[in-house]
Amino acid sequence: MSSWAALAAELSRWRVDGRLPTFWWRDDDATGPSRALDRLLSIAAGLRAPVALAVIPAAAEAVLAERLDDARVAVLQHGYAHANHALAAMLAELADGARRLAELFGQRSRPVLVPPWNRIDPALVAMLPGIAFAGLSTYRARAGASPAFGLTLVNSHVDIVDWRARRFCGEAAALTLAVDHLAARRTRRADADEATGLLTHHAVHEPAAWRFVERLIAAVRTGGGRWLAAEELFGQR
Ligand SMILES: [Zn+2]
């Protein structure tokens, strides 16, 4: 199990190698304003950390767009209705969802798909560029940066929820995920260019989880790392 000291040590190994440890922050399941979302937005604004919100198109409320006044918030597409169906129906729904998010969020929305439960049929991946998706994000170290022509894959790697208990997995477990991915990148056991992705779910976080997020953002920066925005990962619109 890892510690804050282990994270600092790993970040210093990157510095010794003259390399920049990159991170990004994805938060899933946004639909509308809530106190939990306010907490997330205030952390992101207070620490000037870019955050990519994976919004469920079928459930997205117009008031959510009004609430996202911070320019550093990008909107990714979290499936359609957080359900899975047959391929042709899914393609039509995803294209629908993309239109809905572009209408609601304008420039803030990005043609990046975050599939429900981070699972997606490989046959569907190949079809995403055909319905104008430029990016995809699931979970765990990617095998390659481009799973289909015209599609960039940037995953998340540090899910801070223990889903069986539906609560924060604890600092040690979360830091282990972060340090392991960083070390795998540094030693080329994983794609060195894939930014390490923090994955949060604002609706289920207790205060300890938020404290962890704040401390992680700060610790990465103190160690010389950088938090990247969605446009740096997936390109401009
Ligand atoms: Zn989800």
Side-chain angles (χ1 to χ4, degrees), residues 28-29 56 78 82 115-117 201:
D28 285 5
D29 297 344
I56 303 168
H78 199 27
H82 215 293
W117 305 288
H201 286 78

Side-chain angles (χ1 to χ4, degrees), residues 175-227:
L175 287 167
T176 298
L177 292 170
V179 171
D180 284 357
H181 187 243
L182 278 174
R185 289 170 65 193
R186 183 175 49 80
T187 57
R188 313 278 173 178
R189 283 176 289 116
D191 184 339
D193 295 329
E194 184 179 26
T196 298
L198 166 67
L199 176 59
T200 60
H201 286 78
H202 62 271
V204 303
H205 293 326
E206 61 276 67
W210 291 123
R211 280 195 298 276
F212 173 80
V213 168
E214 289 176 308
R215 195 166 169 190
L216 181 68
I217 292 169
V220 164
R221 285 179 173 155
T222 302
R226 201 155 84 78
W227 291 88

